[in-house]
Amino acid sequence: MQKQRGFSFLLMLAGILLIRCANPGSPEGGSKDILPPRLMEAEPPNYTIHFQSKKIILSFDEFVQLKDQTNQIIISPPVLPNTDFKLRGKSIVIELSDPLLPNTTYTINFGGSILDLTENNPARNFKYVFSTGTFIDSLSLNGKIINAFDLSPEKNVYAMLYMNNNDTVPFDSLPFKVRPYYITKTDESGEFHFTNLSDKPLLLFALKDQNGNSIYDLPNERIAFYDSLVRGSYIPVAVTDTAKKDTSRVDTLARADSTRKSPEPVTPAYTMRMFAEKDTVLRLMKKETIRDGQLAFYFSTSLRDAQFIPLKVDTAIPLEEYSAQKDTVFLWLTRQQQDTLRFRVVNNGIVIDTSEFAPLPVRKKTKRDEVTPRIAVNSNVTGGTLNHFHNNPVLTASYPLERADFSSVLLISDKDTSKVNLSFRDSIHRKIEVHHTWKDEKKYKLLIPDSVFFSYTGLTNDTLYFSFKTLAASDYGSLVINVNPATKSSNYLLQLVNEKDLVFSEKSIKEPGKIQFTYITPGTYRVKVILDNNSNGKWDAGIFAKRIQPEQVFYFSGKIEVRANWDVEENWDF
C-alpha cells in the first residue's frame, strides 16, 4: 500500500513538472532585456537600387510592435500617403500603393515607433532606404532649431527641405503651397539630421505643424527659415556591424541597424530661430461673458482706434480695459442689464463685427446667493516684502470704481497711524497706487475700512488689511555690466531676468558703456539683450514672406548670483 502511494506521488510530481515545462513564460531570474529589436533581414535589402517592389518585409530578431506611427514614421520625399504598415510576427510588412517617382532616393525613418513586445525597448531612428534610380543619394545636412525669444531648443518640430522642381509655385512660396521634398523631426536637443540627400540647392524651413498637412497654412503655426539656399555635404559614417549571419549582405544590414554610429558628434551646420508670425489681419477670434457686468473680446492682433458702440438706446456706454498688447478688450457695464446686449465693433473706422451677448442663464438660488457680493482687492506686494526702492504698493479692485473715499484709508506703522496718499493709475479706476515716504526696515499695515470703494453697480468692499515690510539697502545687491555691442549705434534692450525669464529691470542702450542695476532682490539672474531693430522698445517676430528674421536675442554666458550687500561687475561683448 505504501509502495502504491509512493508511485502515485511520483506520477503527480512528474505531471506538475510536465505542465510547467509546457507553459511558456519568462524564466525566473536573469537580467532584464534592455536591447532594442535588431534587424535580421530585409526584403528587398536595405539600400536597394532599381527598386520596383510594392512590398517591403523587415524581419527582426524578436517580436515587435509599432506605436505612434502618425508622429514617428516619416517618409522622404513625402509622396506616399497611402503607405500601409502591418505587423506579422517578428516582421513589419510595408505595402506601397502609390507609384514611385523615377530616379529618386526614398527614406522611411521609423523614429521611435519600433519596440520589442516584452520590454518596449525602442529601435531608435531605424531607417529603410531605397532608390528607384541607379544610385543612393548620400549627402547629409545637420542643424538645430531654437526658440527665437529665449534660445531654448525646439523639440519635435519638423525640419523641411524644398527642391526647386515646381513649375507653378515660386521657390520662396513653396512652404505655403506644397509639402516638402525632404522632412525630418528635431530631437530633445532641437537638433535635426537629414541623410540621403541629392546634390541640389534646397530651401530650409521649419514648422510646428498644427493640422498635420506639412504646409504652412495656419496663422498660429510657428516657423523658422534659413536666409539662403543650402546644400547637403558628405559626412563620413563609421558603421558598427551587429549582423552575425548572411555575410553576403554585411554592408546592407549594418547600415540599416539602429547601432550605426558617427565617429564623433556632428556640429549642427545650420541654426534657425523659431517664432510665430504676428498676425496682421485683424479678426475677432472669440467673445464671452466672463461674469455679470464683464464682457471680453479677443482679437488676432492689436487694435488701433477701437470703438464698441451699443446698438440699443437703453444700453449704457461701457468702460473699456485693454490688455498690454491691445489684442484683448474687457467691457465693464456701468449698470445691470437684463436683456440681450448688442455691440458694433469698429477699428480705425472699419466695422469688424457685430456682437451679441445673451443674459447669463438664471440658476436656482442658494444660500451663497443670499450674501451680497463685495468688491475684492488684490495687492502687487508678493511674499510680504515691498522693494520700496523700486515700487509703491498697487491695489487692484475686482470691479471699476465709480467713487472712492481715499481719506478714510489709514497707514499703520508701529504705534503711528497716518493718512496716506492714494491715486488711480488707470482710466477705469481699478488700479490704485499707494504713495508714501517709505522707511527702511519698517512694518506697515494698510487699513481700508468697510464701504470705502463703490462700483458702478452699487457694490462695496469689506474692511481690508494689507500687511508688508521694507528692508534695508544692505539687504539688496547690485550688478554692473560693462557692455560692448558688436554693432555700434544700434538700439538694444538690456534686461535683467530671473530664472523664469521674467524681467526684473530693463535698460535701453546704444553705445558701449557701464550699465548698473541697483537694489536687486538676492537670487539667481540672467542678463539678456534684444537687438531692437525698429526701436519700438520690444522684441518683434519675423515675417517669412518678406524674409525678415525675428529680432536677435543674446544671453550673457552663465547665471549671475546676486547676494545681499554685494556688488557684482561683469564685462560683456555681444
Side-chain angles (χ1 to χ4, degrees):
M1 189 72 176
Q2 290 179 347
K3 289 183 178 180
Q4 187 176 359
R5 288 178 179 176
F7 182 74
S8 299
F9 174 77
L10 289 175
L11 284 176
M12 182 174 65
L13 180 62
I16 292 174
L17 291 175
L18 284 173
I19 291 173
R20 286 178 60 90
C21 292
N23 185 23
S26 301
E28 296 181 4
S31 59
K32 181 181 178 180
D33 178 18
I34 60 172
L35 296 177
R38 179 170 172 267
L39 181 71
M40 302 303 292
E41 185 177 9
E43 185 60 42
N46 207 351
Y47 291 86
T48 291
I49 59 174
H50 301 296
F51 187 95
Q52 295 180 342
S53 177
K54 289 291 185 181
K55 181 183 293 186
I56 302 165
I57 302 176
L58 305 176
S59 300
F60 294 85
D61 63 343
E62 57 183 319
F63 290 97
V64 294
Q65 56 180 318
L66 280 174
K67 284 191 174 181
D68 197 18
Q69 298 181 41
T70 302
N71 293 316
Q72 293 290 332
I73 300 177
I74 298 175
I75 304 176
S76 288
V79 292
L80 305 174
N82 297 319
T83 302
D84 188 30
F85 296 83
K86 295 180 179 179
L87 290 173
R88 187 182 296 168
K90 296 182 180 180
S91 299
I92 297 174
V93 179
I94 307 169
E95 294 184 354
L96 308 174
S97 58
D98 296 299
L100 300 174
L101 298 174
N103 301 315
T104 300
T105 297
Y106 286 88
T107 301
I108 304 177
N109 188 335
F110 286 84
S113 64
I114 301 177
L115 303 92
D116 64 27
L117 196 59
T118 55
E119 298 294 340
N120 292 320
N121 296 309
R124 298 192 181 279
N125 297 319
F126 173 80
K127 295 180 181 179
Y128 181 84
V129 182
F130 62 90
S131 173
T132 55
T134 58
F135 60 90
I136 299 286
D137 292 328
S138 58
L139 300 185
S140 299
L141 187 146
N142 301 299
K144 186 171 184 176
I145 302 173
I146 58 176
N147 185 292
F149 185 71
D150 62 17
L151 308 188
S152 60
E154 292 281 358
K155 62 181 181 180
N156 294 325
V157 301
Y158 288 107
M160 302 169 164
L161 291 170
Y162 297 82
M163 192 178 293
N164 191 14
N165 60 353
N166 194 296
D167 296 332
T168 59
V169 181
F171 201 2
D172 289 347
S173 299
L174 289 176
F176 296 110
K177 301 292 184 181
V178 300
R179 303 179 75 194
Y181 196 82
Y182 300 104
I183 186 169
T184 188
K185 228 174 187 182
T186 59
D187 58 19
E188 292 290 322
S189 64
E191 295 187 8
F192 60 87
H193 308 279
F194 287 101
T195 58
N196 304 107
L197 304 179
S198 61
D199 187 16
K200 293 182 180 179
L202 302 164
L203 173 67
L204 178 57
F205 190 79
L207 176 67
K208 184 67 175 179
D209 196 6
Q210 297 295 328
N211 55 4
N213 64 356
S214 301
I215 296 174
Y216 179 34
D217 58 352
L218 294 178
N220 63 333
E221 290 180 323
R222 299 170 61 243
I223 63 167
F225 64 94
Y226 201 73
D227 286 323
S228 57
L229 298 182
V230 301
R231 236 184 172 103
S233 59
Y234 177 69
I235 301 176
V237 175
V239 176
T240 302
D241 179 24
T242 57
K244 294 184 179 180
K245 66 177 183 178
D246 194 0
T247 56
S248 65
R249 285 198 225 148
V250 168
D251 182 59
T252 298
L253 290 177
R255 284 189 292 181
D257 201 286
S258 61
T259 58
R260 184 173 184 247
K261 298 179 180 178
S262 299
E264 59 183 22
V266 178
T267 302
Y270 303 96
T271 298
M272 297 190 293
R273 294 175 292 135
M274 178 159 270
F275 60 94
E277 286 192 298
K278 184 178 179 180
D279 197 343
T280 57
V281 179
L282 181 64
R283 297 182 300 275
L284 178 60
M285 308 297 291
K286 179 184 175 183
K287 59 189 178 185
E288 64 175 334
T289 301
I290 295 180
R291 54 180 169 170
D292 282 328
Q294 186 184 13
L295 313 176
F297 294 83
Y298 304 93
F299 295 90
S300 59
T301 188
S302 301
L303 298 163
R304 294 181 61 186
D305 184 16
Q307 293 176 288
F308 297 83
I309 305 170
L311 296 182
K312 289 191 175 183
V313 294
D314 61 337
T315 303
I317 302 297
L319 302 176
E320 300 173 10
E321 183 178 23
Y322 290 81
S323 65
Q325 300 298 325
K326 292 191 174 183
D327 56 2
T328 300
V329 183
F330 300 104
L331 294 190
W332 295 91
L333 306 180
T334 55
R335 68 169 182 254
Q336 292 182 344
Q337 301 285 156
Q338 302 298 328
D339 55 354
T340 298
L341 296 171
R342 298 182 71 232
F343 292 93
R344 178 179 295 124
V345 184
V346 180
N347 181 70
N348 203 27
I350 300 173
V351 177
I352 302 299
D353 189 76
T354 299
S355 296
E356 187 172 284
F357 294 87
L360 290 174
V362 178
R363 57 184 176 83
K364 185 178 180 181
K365 288 188 175 183
T366 63
K367 289 185 178 181
R368 186 176 179 182
D369 295 320
E370 296 175 3
V371 179
T372 303
R374 308 303 294 265
I375 297 174
V377 180
N378 295 318
S379 167
N380 68 332
V381 179
T382 57
T385 300
L386 172 70
N387 188 338
H388 62 294
F389 297 102
H390 284 293
N391 305 303
N392 283 320
V394 176
L395 310 177
T396 303
S398 55
Y399 290 90
L401 302 179
E402 183 179 25
R403 58 191 174 91
D405 182 13
F406 288 159
S407 64
S408 299
V409 179
L410 299 175
L411 185 67
I412 304 169
S413 179
D414 297 331
K415 296 180 180 180
D416 298 328
T417 300
S418 61
K419 298 289 185 180
V420 66
N421 184 21
L422 294 92
S423 65
F424 288 115
R425 289 188 55 172
D426 61 337
S427 61
I428 68 167
H429 294 179
R430 281 189 69 212
K431 296 185 182 298
I432 304 161
E433 185 169 0
V434 182
H435 304 273
H436 186 71
T437 303
W438 308 105
K439 295 181 180 180
D440 295 359
E441 298 182 290
K442 283 284 186 181
K443 292 182 179 180
Y444 292 95
K445 181 178 290 186
L446 190 68
L447 167 61
I448 304 175
D450 183 277
S451 300
V452 165
F453 301 147
F454 296 84
S455 74
Y456 285 88
T457 54
L459 302 181
T460 61
N461 64 284
D462 280 323
T463 299
L464 302 169
Y465 291 94
F466 294 95
S467 299
F468 55 91
K469 64 181 179 179
T470 59
L471 302 177
S474 58
D475 291 317
Y476 298 97
S478 68
L479 170 65
V480 174
I481 304 288
N482 297 305
V483 297
N484 183 28
T487 306
K488 306 299 186 288
S489 300
S490 294
N491 295 293
Y492 295 93
L493 299 175
L494 183 68
Q495 298 176 337
L496 182 66
V497 300
N498 63 15
E499 292 186 290
K500 295 182 179 179
D501 214 42
L502 298 176
V503 179
F504 176 81
S505 185
E506 180 180 271
K507 310 278 187 178
S508 180
I509 61 174
K510 286 189 177 182
E511 303 290 343
K514 183 176 290 188
I515 306 300
Q516 188 171 18
F517 297 96
T518 58
Y519 302 111
I520 306 170
T521 303
T524 302
Y525 295 87
R526 300 184 70 189
V527 181
K528 176 179 181 178
V529 155
I530 297 172
L531 178 54
D532 188 14
N533 292 320
N534 57 5
S535 304
N536 66 350
K538 63 178 183 178
W539 177 84
D540 288 294
I543 304 174
F544 175 63
K546 295 182 179 180
R547 293 302 181 272
I548 298 175
Q549 291 283 0
E551 290 180 333
Q552 283 187 283
V553 170
F554 310 94
Y555 281 91
F556 180 76
S557 60
K559 298 177 180 179
I560 296 176
E561 190 72 28
V562 176
R563 301 177 183 176
N565 201 28
W566 197 267
D567 298 330
V568 180
E569 186 166 352
E570 299 283 357
N571 299 316
W572 189 16
D573 298 335
F574 55 84

